[in-house]
Amino acid sequence: MRAMFRNRGGVHPAYRKWGTAGAPIEALPLPKTLSISLAQHIGVPSKPIAQKGQKVHAGERIAEPGGYVSSAVHAPASGVVKAIEERPAVNGKYALTVVIETDGAMEDHRPDEADWTRLHPKEMVDRVAQAGVIGMGGAGFPTHVKLTPPPGKTIDTLILNGAECEPYLTADHRLMVEDAARVWEGACILRKILGASHLRVAIEDNKPDAIRAMEAAMKGADDGVALVILKTEYPQGAEKQLIYSVLGRQVPSGGLPMDVGALVENVATAVAVREAVVAQRPLLRRVTTVTGPGIRRPRNVLAPVGTPLQDLVDFCGGLTEDTVKIVVGGPMMGVAVATLEAGTAKTTSGLLALTRRVVPQYQSMPCIGCGRCVGACPMGLMPCTLSEHLEAEDYEAAEELNVLDCIECGCCAYECPAARPLVQHMKQGKARVATLRRQRESQAVK
Amino acid sequence: MGLWIPILVIGGTGIVCGAVLAAASRFFAVHEDPRLEALAELLPGINCGACGFAGCSEYARAMLEKGIPVNLCKPGGHETVSRVASFLGVEAVAGERQVALVLCKGDDAAASRSTLYNGLADCAAAELAGGGGKDCRFGCLGLGTCARVCPVGAIEITAGRLAVVHPELCIGCRQCVAACPRRLIKMAPESSLIHVLCNSHDRGPLVRKVCRVGCIACTVCVKLVNEKGIRMKNNLAVVDYEVPLDNDEVVSRCPQHTIERRRLKKTVEV
Amino acid sequence: MPDPIQNKRLISPSPHAHSGDSVRRIMLSVLLALAPAAMFACWHFGWNAARLMIVCAASCVLFEYACRAAMRRDPSITDFSAVVTGVLLAMNLPPDLPSWMAIVGAFFAIVIAKQVFGGIGYNLFNPALIGRVVLLISFPMQMTSWSQWHIPHPLAGADAVTSATPLGLLKTSVASGHGIPFLFNAATAWQFFLGFKNGCIGEVSGLALLIGGLYLLWRRAIYWQTPVCYLATVALMAAALQIADPVHQLGPLFHLLTGGVLLGAIFMATDMVTSPVTKTGMAIFGIGCGVLTMVIRLWGGYPEGTSFAILLMNAVVPLINRFTRPRVFGHVRRPKKS
């Protein structure tokens, strides 16, 4: 069925998915070294348990969760731990990184167990936690935490997110086309864990082959299941927007999807959950779309976590000379990185090489009040007014204009003819306002 | 007759408003400690917040009502503290004047920038967006966030995109210390002379790759002073300002010229 | 802008994609949208129209450059906003105005109305309209003298020769107790729509202005809310008044096709800087402009009120923005102040 509800705002960037939408997923030969960041997820960084010089085998745990909202990390291939030190990570920051010099053995051949349907949900969540599964759509929230809602919260609908609204990216798209059965099984496992009566598979209408593949995989499912076809629009796949499109429910400001009885999981996460529950396989690799005008042979690559970006680029024919920007993730919310040394993370859905032709150079001007950002904002904010307040460091005014509701999707800055760094203003404003709030609360306690 | 109507209307309005204001000032008057105003007058009045209170009058109120120590005003220095102390009839000794110091020497001539940062000209924002173009992850970004928060304009951003504090202007309010996202501005007592102007905890070879004047943790200086006054802390030589240090050899023998002799006192006192 | 040479990688915050539209491109499309009206003006009024447009545009650019240089700010003439202001100012001037007066208008538009406030983006009032209104108040004679033209007379076959605009003619006639001084039928309306009448050089041809307006809508340089609400309000008020007083009122078509209301609704009220940012706000702004225009036309001292109406509404734009904030996703009601 078509999605019944239409989100406000949104933009239609040039999608440019044709380069890789038809390209089958290809496995990358095992890189010589892997740099596995211990801060791939949201929350407390993982604590390394492997020692420098230690030999590790594929699937061995090299770091354990550093707290409740944290995740385990495993060695994607066997080899020797060369270093545990701070290195640049794909999010543009530095993080404690385990560097493994691989020795060629990648696979761990654990067979599928027969029947997951007899497992207790608690046992399944435990397996998900053991496998170090985190949200692979981009945010990287530890999945086992998400699957353990606090008592009193019931989740009636699980939404499987196959929207992939970011331009260029086709990793989830190809996964649905080529591996629909496992995606579907993962979704069923997630539904059973949550005890959700409804399951919605949401896909944008620019991926007809993925829709067909998922429909075939879902054949014979019960009444609680439906495939929802979304209008192609950015940011259709953002959590709050997706829930609204599919269910017509608005996640309250400052709240979580579970407050409206919904939970969203990415299709790649579903596959990782399936592997964790059915075969107790840890999350060791993922599909990354390597594309953009600066990549000579764009491909969808299945690569181990921690693969240096340089290896991905080399596998795809290298960079063209006019490449000026390397982006990890999609062009709307991805991070520009300075070096190709960093290793991929579990959340790395794309690696883009952008050339001068497609990269905007910002020379920002004063706001000319065109109102396009107001029209484009999916959250109903007024980015133009907000950015003027934030420029003047008037954080109280920004708070009153709900800066904390910003999802940093980038629609405003995409549209802005004055090339104002609106998202950067918002990010900084959110951080400052959050600090101010904490200060106020601690003062109130005093 | 026509003339009288406006006169009466405006005059009447004036009388009514005046009466209301008079009544308000009578009934809603806030009785303040008369000493408060006088005490606040003694403070410098630049509302820098270094004392931990929201401005000079708040600090004055805290001293009067809560008995907060009288020597917290940093910009005021000895003079202010002794005036405040005598006003309140207490004894107090001001600490030594502290001066902000940017622990980085890596301007564009010395430290490399292999990427171009294209975004908001603000260090904190650049730090969020992938590092602001400087290769050294500990070094000064030079986008001037500290200079903008400085209440007295004591920080200059040089042509080589490096923040430099003018010690004679610094009032020691620590606003810049809090504003720097890389935490590379530190306070130093004004009597100190020898400073290690680097903030990099990277290992030597990594530092050398990105900066000509960064501390490479060679430990020459530490050995020269026998760990008295300079100590190694996580690949970085750090001056211990508790120990007075005046040793020109550490300056001349530092292979990277990271260590400098710099006078922080205001002017030569006669 | 960082130097694009040296093969250096760029680091910048997300998003890394952009619609490609810029202030300069928007300004250029406004100029392109003005082209039909400008060409008609040159054909209809001859050399004088071209002279005014060139003088205004050149002096606006010059003032902008000089002003930025004097204030030691980055030059801003490359965004073409000064050219747009200049051409729009010229569009709002009568064809016989001396050049030096046009330069005075350009000075007030750029220096007083725009740069003193901080340049593009910061001005409260539409610069071109400030220029026009200053001239209108300072040189009322020159700003309201027109060349002679023919207009159909109520008595068949007897054309009148006049040197007033249709609105001016109506106003003086009604004020002196006479009825409607000329024939307004389908043929006259068509003549007015095509542009054969007296008026400021840019406002005469409704057809040319509509073509430009459609182009701007397609380019998303304006939103439909402002012009449609503006024109609809004018039409509705005119219709209501005609029903109430058929002897002295000429109805909606007359009010839409005369004076500067089309130019104002399409090009002046839609100026991005001085109009609201929300769609609802734009609609309210348009309605306000329409009401004020009609009030000034019917009961004010001037025959035409478009400029004053838009300037008055410019003043309340911050208020409109404030009260038409969109509902934020996930908020049930507008949040109360804590």
Side-chain angles (χ1 to χ4, degrees), chain C residues 4 18 92 110 286:
Chain C
H18 194 264
N92 279 293
I110 292 295

Side-chain angles (χ1 to χ4, degrees), chain A residues 193-350:
Chain A
I193 292 175
L194 294 164
S197 51
H198 297 279
L199 168 57
R200 297 278 179 273
V201 179
I203 307 175
E204 273 188 353
D205 58 10
N206 62 354
K207 306 182 234 317
D209 49 347
I211 293 170
R212 275 196 303 278
M214 286 309 293
E215 261 171 354
M218 289 161 66
K219 205 155 265 172
D222 61 88
D223 285 348
V225 171
L227 194 143
V228 181
I229 299 166
L230 307 165
K231 188 173 167 284
T232 299
E233 185 176 61
Y234 181 85
Q236 191 66 268
E239 197 169 55
K240 290 179 177 181
Q241 275 61 38
L242 186 68
I243 293 172
Y244 185 74
S245 290
V246 174
L247 298 173
R249 302 178 194 164
Q250 288 199 359
V251 178
S253 168
L256 290 170
M258 65 170 85
D259 294 332
V260 292
L263 195 121
V264 179
E265 288 290 358
N266 172 266
V267 289
T269 318
V271 174
V273 165
R274 186 237 171 236
E275 297 296 289
V277 170
V278 173
Q280 301 199 41
R281 274 187 210 121
L283 175 48
L284 301 183
R285 73 207 86 166
R286 70 156 296 142
V287 182
T288 301
T289 305
V290 185
T291 183
I295 296 284
R296 287 186 207 274
R297 277 199 309 279
R299 284 169 160 180
N300 294 300
V301 185
L302 180 67
V305 170
T307 302
L309 300 180
Q310 185 70 55
D311 287 55
L312 282 177
V313 166
D314 292 343
F315 183 65
C316 297
L319 298 173
T320 59
E321 253 126 59
D322 52 349
T323 300
V324 290
K325 199 192 249 181
I326 306 287
V327 175
V328 173
M332 297 299 283
M333 287 185 77
V335 178
V337 292
T339 99
L340 288 169
E341 275 170 52
T344 56
K346 295 169 183 174
T347 51
T348 307
S349 50

Side-chain angles (χ1 to χ4, degrees), chain A residues 84-123:
Chain A
I84 302 175
E85 60 186 22
E86 298 230 319
R87 293 231 175 157
V90 282
N91 59 4
K93 302 195 170 78
Y94 277 73
L96 202 59
T97 302
V98 177
V99 184
I100 296 177
E101 198 168 77
T102 60
D103 58 15
M106 166 106 190
E107 216 47 55
D108 71 318
H109 297 281
R110 241 179 291 210
D112 283 9
E113 274 174 25
D115 194 8
W116 56 267
T117 51
R118 270 189 240 133
L119 287 174
H120 190 270
K122 234 175 158 181
E123 160 75 15

Side-chain angles (χ1 to χ4, degrees), chain C residues 219-282:
Chain C
R219 265 294 274 109
R220 294 200 310 148
I222 64 174
Y223 290 99
W224 62 266
Q225 279 87 349
T226 313
V228 168
C229 291
Y230 192 161
L231 298 175
T233 309
V234 167
L236 278 175
M237 280 185 75
L241 287 161
Q242 192 185 26
I243 292 165
D245 181 11
V247 182
H248 295 110
Q249 295 296 338
L250 275 169
L253 207 53
F254 174 78
H255 277 286
L256 289 180
L257 292 178
T258 54
V261 72
L262 275 173
L263 177 66
I266 295 171
F267 287 98
M268 315 302 288
T270 52
D271 170 42
M272 289 172 166
V273 178
T274 55
S275 65
V277 293
T278 60
K279 306 267 166 70
T280 329
M282 292 175 196

Side-chain angles (χ1 to χ4, degrees), chain B residues 30-51:
Chain B
V30 181
H31 293 287
E32 288 217 321
D33 193 331
R35 292 182 301 164
L36 182 65
E37 206 176 326
L39 185 56
E41 282 291 310
L42 293 179
L43 295 169
I46 48 174
N47 299 320
C48 69
C51 51

Side-chain angles (χ1 to χ4, degrees), chain C residues 78-205:
Chain C
T78 47
D79 63 26
F80 283 91
S81 62
V83 185
V84 170
T85 302
V87 175
L88 280 175
L89 174 64
M91 292 290 191
N92 279 293
L93 299 177
D96 299 325
L97 196 78
S99 294
W100 69 267
M101 284 187 191
I103 294 173
V104 170
F107 173 81
F108 276 93
I110 292 295
V111 179
I112 305 294
K114 189 176 169 194
Q115 291 301 341
V116 164
F117 284 86
I120 186 169
Y122 297 112
N123 49 308
L124 285 176
F125 298 102
N126 188 316
L129 285 181
I130 292 281
R132 172 186 148 82
V133 163
V134 166
L135 291 179
L136 188 62
I137 295 168
S138 317
F139 312 107
M141 276 292 288
Q142 289 84 344
M143 282 294 284
T144 50
S145 64
W146 321 91
S147 45
Q148 299 209 324
W149 62 301
H150 294 266
I151 188 163
H153 197 264
L155 299 171
D159 274 10
V161 176
T162 173
S163 59
T165 61
L167 277 172
L169 208 56
L170 182 71
K171 187 132 214 163
T172 44
S173 172
V174 171
S176 57
H178 298 92
I180 296 159
F182 51 85
L183 188 70
F184 187 71
N185 56 15
T188 334
W190 189 243
Q191 179 197 341
F192 282 5
F193 177 65
L194 291 178
F196 299 98
K197 59 178 186 254
N198 255 0
C200 294
I201 63 168
E203 71 187 22
V204 286
S205 174

